[in-house]
Amino acid sequence: MATVNEVCRLVRSKNAGPYWVTVDFFFKDAESYARYARSPALGGDTFARLFGADPALVKYFPVDSLHVLKVSYPRTSPQGGEVERDMHCGQQYVRLLDIELD
Amino acid sequence: MTEPKDNPSKPISVLVPAGSLGAGVREDEVAYGIAKGAMVIASDAGSTDSGAAYLALGISKNNRQSVKRDLEIMMKQAWAAGIPIVIGTSGQAGGDKNLDWTRDIAVEIARELGIRPKIALLRSELDKATVKAKNAAGRIRPLAPLGALDDATIDACDHIVAALGPEPYIAALDAGADIILGGRTTDTAVIASYALWKGAPAGPSWHAGKIAECGAQCTEKVEEGAGVLLRIDRDSFEVEPLSTANRCTPHSVSAHMLYENSDPFRLVEPGGVLDVIASRYAQIDPRTVKVTGSVWEPKPYTMKLEGASSGRFQTVMLVGIQDPVVLNNLDAFHDRMLGVLYDRVHKAVGEAARDFHLSLRLYGWNAVSGDKVPAGTPAPREVGVLFVATADTQEMATQIAKACNPYFFHMYMPEHEEMPSYGFAFTPADIERGPVYEFRLNHVVECDDPMELVRTEWVDLALEEAA
C-alpha cells in the first residue's frame, strides 16, 4: 500500500487566482508517475471529500516530461472570506499526503 | 528613445529584475543584465495572491521604502543606459490609487536623481457605469466557478480593474515613454510587451513573459538571486539568471509553467492563448536554457476583470493555552466553547447582533483545516486559540467580542477544579481587524479594440522642468 507521500518527492498547493487552488504532485521517478498519476484515489471524489470541491470541475493535467500530475479545483469560498484559514492555500496539500494509492 | 518596429535582426533582451517590484532588486544583477545588452527592464509590481484588501483599499502590500529602493536602482541604471522601464500592476493591485502611489514614488526618485523621464500611466480601473454597460451589451462572460454578472455585484465592488494586455505598453513605447507604469496587467503581458513592440514572434515573447514573471523563481536556486535575463529570437527564447552563481535548467524553467497556474499548457491572455504543449527546453550553456516550440493562438480580444469589495467586520482575540485539561480534550473544548460563546452573545447582545458569526481556530491543533484530527493524535504542548467574531459593523463585532471575553478567558471544562485563566497576549484583549475584503468578479470582458478600456496619461518631467 503506497501513500502519496511515499511515491512523490514533492507535493505543493497554491492559489491560482482567487477562485482556484492548484496542487502539483511531483512523482519520484518515471515508474511511480506511470503507476500512480492516474490513480482513482486522486479522483474528483477525493477533492470533494477533502476540500468540498465540485468533482465535475476538478481539472487534471498530467505533465509527462516532469513526472508531475497537476490537479486544479475551485475553492468553496473565495480567497479571504469570513471563514478564511489559508489565504494562499499553501498548506492544503498536507491533507493529500496520506492518501493510499493502491 | 522611440525606435521603429522592425523584424529583429538580433535577439531582444529583456531584464526582469525581480518577481515583483519591492521584493528586493539587486544592483549588481541589474548592472550584469545591462552589461549583457538588456534593452528594457520589465517587472510586475503586484498580484491578486495576497487577497482583495489591496484592490479594495487601493494600497500596496509592500512598504513604500522597499518599492522606492527597487525602483531607484532600476531608474538610475536604466537612465544611464538609455533603456526604458515597464512596470505592470502598479502598487500591488493596479487600481488608480495604487497607480498614483507608484507614480508619486517614481517622480520623487526622478527629482532626487536629477533625471527627467517621460512617464506614461496606463489606467485600467473601470467605473461601474462602463462595466454595467458592457454587461448589459452581453460582452461580459463568467469564468467557473462563478455565474453571470448582475448589477448588484458590480455595485458591491469598491474598485474594478481590467487586466491589460501589451497593446497600451506598445503604444506608450511608440510615443517615447522612458518609464511606463501600468494599472492591472497580466504579468505575462508586461514582460512580453517590449519584445512584441520590436516585432519579435508572439509565441516566444509570451512564453518568455510567463517564465520570467516571478523573476528567479524559474531558476535552480530560487534563493540565489532575484532576476533573470531573457533573449527572444526568431523562433525561440533563452533565459539566464542575473546572478552568476545561479543557473537555469530545463527542469527549473519548464516547472515554472506549473506555478500558481491552473493549466500548465494553455494560458489565456488578452487577445489569444499561449500554448506550450509542444515546447522543448534545452540546456545551451551551464547557466542558460533555450525554449522552442511555443505557440500563440490569436483569439477575440478579452480582458479579465477583478473587483474587490469590503464586507462585514471582524474583531479578534487570541489566547495561548498550556493547561493539560484542555490539551487532552481539544475537540471537546472547541465544541463546548463555541456553544458557550454563541449562548453568551444571544443572551448578552440579543437581536442586535443580527446574523453574527463566531469562529474558534485552534493553532497547534487543526486551525488551518478546521477538520477533525485523527483519533489517537497526541496532545500538543500548547495551542493558540484565535477567536473571530464577524458582524455587520465594527462596533457590533467588538461588542460581541467583549461579551465573549470572560468566557473565552475563563471557560471551565468538567475536570477543572478551579477557574482557569487562559493566556491573553494583549490588553485590551480584543483587536478590531476591519472589514472582510473579498474578490467579487471572475469574468472576462470582450473588447473590440485593445485600447478601448485603457486611459493613458503622461507625466513628462522634461517638459515640466523646461517650463
Side-chain angles (χ1 to χ4, degrees):
Chain A
M1 195 65 86
T3 63
V4 167
N5 202 29
E6 288 164 352
V7 302
C8 291
R9 64 175 178 81
L10 171 71
V11 184
R12 67 184 183 188
S13 57
K14 193 74 170 57
N15 65 301
Y19 295 91
W20 287 79
V21 182
T22 191
V23 183
D24 299 330
F25 299 85
F26 288 78
F27 288 86
K28 276 180 175 163
D29 47 37
E31 188 190 342
S32 297
Y33 174 73
R35 182 162 171 191
Y36 297 112
R38 287 168 178 77
S39 166
L42 296 177
D45 292 347
T46 296
F47 287 82
R49 178 171 54 83
L50 291 176
F51 304 110
D54 177 349
L57 292 178
V58 179
K59 298 192 282 193
Y60 289 84
F61 303 97
V63 186
D64 297 350
S65 60
L66 295 171
H67 307 145
V68 167
L69 173 68
K70 179 184 261 306
V71 184
S72 299
Y73 64 90
R75 299 176 62 130
T76 48
S77 63
Q79 181 186 35
E82 287 183 10
V83 295
E84 183 61 75
R85 290 167 180 266
D86 185 10
M87 187 77 65
H88 295 76
C89 297
Q91 298 298 309
Q92 299 302 305
Y93 75 94
V94 177
R95 275 180 277 173
L96 295 159
L97 296 178
D98 293 330
I99 290 175
E100 292 174 344
L101 295 175
D102 59 9
Chain B
M1 64 187 48
T2 304
E3 293 176 46
K5 287 185 196 180
D6 53 10
N7 283 321
S9 55
K10 60 176 181 174
I12 306 300
S13 290
V14 179
L15 192 164
V16 182
S20 184
L21 186 71
V25 169
R26 300 190 192 186
E27 205 154 3
D28 57 335
E29 289 195 0
V30 176
Y32 173 85
I34 288 175
K36 293 270 284 190
M39 301 169 182
V40 63
I41 300 177
S43 175
D44 80 80
S47 149
T48 60
D49 288 355
S50 296
Y54 306 102
L55 178 59
L57 294 169
I59 60 169
S60 172
K61 184 183 79 165
N62 290 305
N63 64 311
R64 190 177 195 276
Q65 191 55 37
S66 295
V67 171
K68 184 177 177 185
R69 180 196 163 278
D70 280 5
L71 197 52
E72 184 175 335
I73 291 170
M74 292 157 63
M75 285 171 64
K76 195 189 262 179
Q77 296 202 38
W79 187 261
I83 63 174
I85 295 171
V86 295
I87 305 281
T89 311
S90 297
Q92 184 68 26
D96 282 352
K97 288 170 77 177
N98 307 85
L99 183 52
D100 292 345
W101 183 82
T102 311
R103 172 203 59 202
D104 291 348
I105 294 172
V107 169
E108 182 177 302
I109 295 167
R111 296 201 197 292
E112 287 171 7
L113 294 176
I115 63 175
R116 297 173 182 180
K118 184 175 176 180
I119 303 172
L121 306 174
L122 311 178
R123 297 197 183 272
S124 70
E125 182 159 343
L126 304 179
D127 63 57
K128 290 175 184 175
T130 302
V131 182
K132 286 178 185 173
K134 276 284 192 184
N135 198 34
R139 304 299 301 275
I140 293 181
R141 286 187 277 118
L143 302 174
L146 294 198
L149 189 56
D150 56 31
D151 282 358
T153 304
I154 297 169
D155 282 328
C157 293
D158 295 328
H159 295 283
I160 298 173
V161 291
L164 301 174
E167 293 80 4
Y169 290 85
I170 290 169
L173 288 164
D174 259 339
D178 299 307
I179 298 173
I180 302 173
L181 302 176
R184 183 64 172 134
T185 308
T186 77
D187 295 354
T188 319
V190 67
I191 297 171
S193 62
Y194 184 93
L196 293 168
W197 177 52
K198 292 300 238 173
S205 298
W206 281 99
H207 195 182
K210 174 61 193 170
I211 291 299
E213 47 120 9
C214 287
Q217 183 83 32
C218 66
T219 65
E220 190 174 63
K221 291 177 279 183
V222 173
E223 298 296 312
E224 176 62 59
V228 294
L229 186 66
L230 303 164
R231 279 183 294 274
I232 300 149
D233 214 337
R234 290 174 189 283
D235 56 2
S236 65
F237 72 93
E238 297 170 12
V239 52
E240 171 196 351
L242 289 173
S243 165
T244 52
N246 200 354
R247 64 199 297 255
C248 284
T249 66
H251 185 276
S252 74
V253 174
S254 61
H256 188 70
M257 289 307 295
L258 299 167
Y259 190 69
E260 289 177 347
N261 212 9
S262 63
D263 183 332
F265 299 122
R266 287 175 65 80
L267 197 66
V268 179
E269 290 284 341
V273 174
L274 169 66
D275 188 317
V276 304
I277 201 146
S279 293
R280 293 292 172 263
Y281 302 80
Q283 195 86 50
I284 56 164
D285 72 35
R287 300 179 55 251
T288 306
V289 165
K290 182 174 185 169
V291 183
T292 53
S294 317
V295 175
W296 175 255
E297 293 174 12
K299 300 272 187 193
Y301 206 87
T302 59
M303 297 166 84
K304 188 150 184 258
L305 296 175
E306 291 165 1
S309 70
S310 54
R312 302 207 297 165
F313 292 79
Q314 294 183 322
T315 296
V316 301
M317 299 189 286
L318 177 68
V319 289
I321 301 179
Q322 290 191 327
D323 182 339
V325 168
V326 174
L327 297 183
N328 286 326
N329 208 353
L330 277 167
D331 290 331
F333 171 82
H334 170 272
D335 295 350
R336 178 184 175 93
M337 181 177 273
L338 197 59
V340 164
L341 296 183
Y342 265 104
D343 280 352
R344 169 69 178 163
V345 176
H346 288 136
K347 285 179 185 138
V349 186
E351 290 297 311
R354 297 168 65 96
D355 61 339
F356 71 101
H357 182 264
L358 299 180
S359 171
L360 295 171
R361 297 142 192 218
L362 275 55
Y363 283 89
W365 187 240
N366 68 343
V368 176
S369 68
D371 291 349
K372 289 293 178 201
V373 171
T377 302
R381 282 272 299 153
E382 68 174 36
V383 292
V385 184
L386 181 68
F387 164 99
V388 184
T390 307
D392 291 345
T393 65
Q394 187 71 72
E395 188 188 2
M396 182 50 66
T398 297
Q399 289 304 308
I400 289 168
K402 286 180 187 298
C404 290
N405 179 318
Y407 297 82
F408 184 61
F409 179 30
H410 288 307
M411 189 191 76
Y412 283 83
M413 291 292 279
E415 299 84 350
H416 276 125
E417 290 179 15
E418 63 175 270
M419 185 176 76
S421 295
Y422 306 125
F424 271 124
F426 309 107
T427 181
D430 48 277
I431 303 166
E432 296 194 336
R433 208 201 57 69
V436 173
Y437 297 103
E438 284 190 80
F439 287 110
R440 301 298 295 271
L441 304 180
N442 197 36
H443 299 76
V444 293
V445 56
E446 299 168 350
C447 297
D448 298 321
D449 179 334
M451 303 299 283
E452 184 184 336
L453 299 176
V454 189
R455 291 164 289 135
T456 302
E457 295 169 13
W458 292 90
V459 179
D460 192 336
L461 294 182
L463 287 181
E464 190 180 296
E465 300 288 330

